[in-house]
Amino acid sequence: MMKNKRIKPYTAAILAMFVILMAGCSLGTKPSSSPFLDDLTISIKDTPNTGDTTAHAYELQIKDSAGNLVDVDRVRINLSMSMQGMNHKMKDEMERTGHGIYYTKVYLPMNGDWKAIVSLKKDNHERRFNLEL
């Protein structure tokens, strides 16, 4: 006949630490910025549609420290309404329309104070800019 054996406390602690370590390693790493991305500045122009006040066309320009337009691999924009009690959020990937120029057209659910997070990705690096629109 077999007796039930209890796991010793230190064995349980080692197993728990191993599980936590493995879970943390599987999360991956977030992309970090790079010297190239750190050198960039952006400017964004909002062109509201005169017929439909919820339609907004955003044109983004990306420049290096010398003022030259530069390209990146991907540009995303995340929009959120900054009014208390409003949980409006939108996101879109911007389309390259020229060297260092990106465009998107979005339909905002309502007018008001919107914030944007623009994310630039180049190779395995990413940089984010916080903007008030």
Side-chain angles (χ1 to χ4, degrees):
M1 178 185 249
M2 279 182 61
K3 291 184 179 181
N4 288 336
K5 291 188 176 183
R6 292 181 49 191
I7 296 177
K8 294 184 180 182
Y10 65 88
T11 305
I14 290 172
L15 279 172
M17 288 173 38
F18 179 74
V19 169
I20 291 169
L21 177 66
M22 293 308 293
C25 290
S26 67
L27 294 176
T29 59
K30 288 186 176 183
S32 62
S33 192
S34 68
F36 172 78
L37 292 174
D38 289 342
D39 186 47
L40 302 181
T41 58
I42 64 170
S43 60
I44 192 164
K45 184 171 88 173
D46 176 10
T47 309
N49 188 335
T50 54
D52 181 0
T53 59
T54 64
H56 292 260
Y58 293 106
E59 182 182 88
L60 180 83
Q61 291 189 356
I62 305 171
K63 294 183 180 180
D64 62 15
S65 60
N68 301 314
L69 291 168
V70 295
D71 284 329
V72 295
D73 297 336
R74 185 183 74 216
V75 177
R76 287 188 178 160
I77 186 167
N78 292 324
L79 302 164
S80 62
M81 182 156 235
S82 58
M83 288 175 56
Q84 186 170 348
M86 297 295 168
N87 194 24
H88 298 300
K89 295 180 181 178
M90 301 191 71
K91 61 183 174 181
D92 198 13
E93 190 159 327
M94 299 186 83
E95 178 182 332
R96 183 178 177 266
T97 59
H99 186 67
I101 301 173
Y102 297 81
Y103 173 87
T104 191
K105 185 174 185 178
V106 296
Y107 294 89
L108 302 176
M110 65 185 295
N111 289 321
D113 295 326
W114 286 82
K115 292 182 180 179
I117 299 173
V118 175
S119 173
L120 307 180
K121 187 166 184 181
K122 180 74 171 172
D123 300 324
N124 290 327
H125 301 283
E126 183 176 11
R127 180 174 177 203
R128 293 181 179 175
F129 295 85
N130 293 313
L131 306 170
E132 302 262 343
L133 301 176

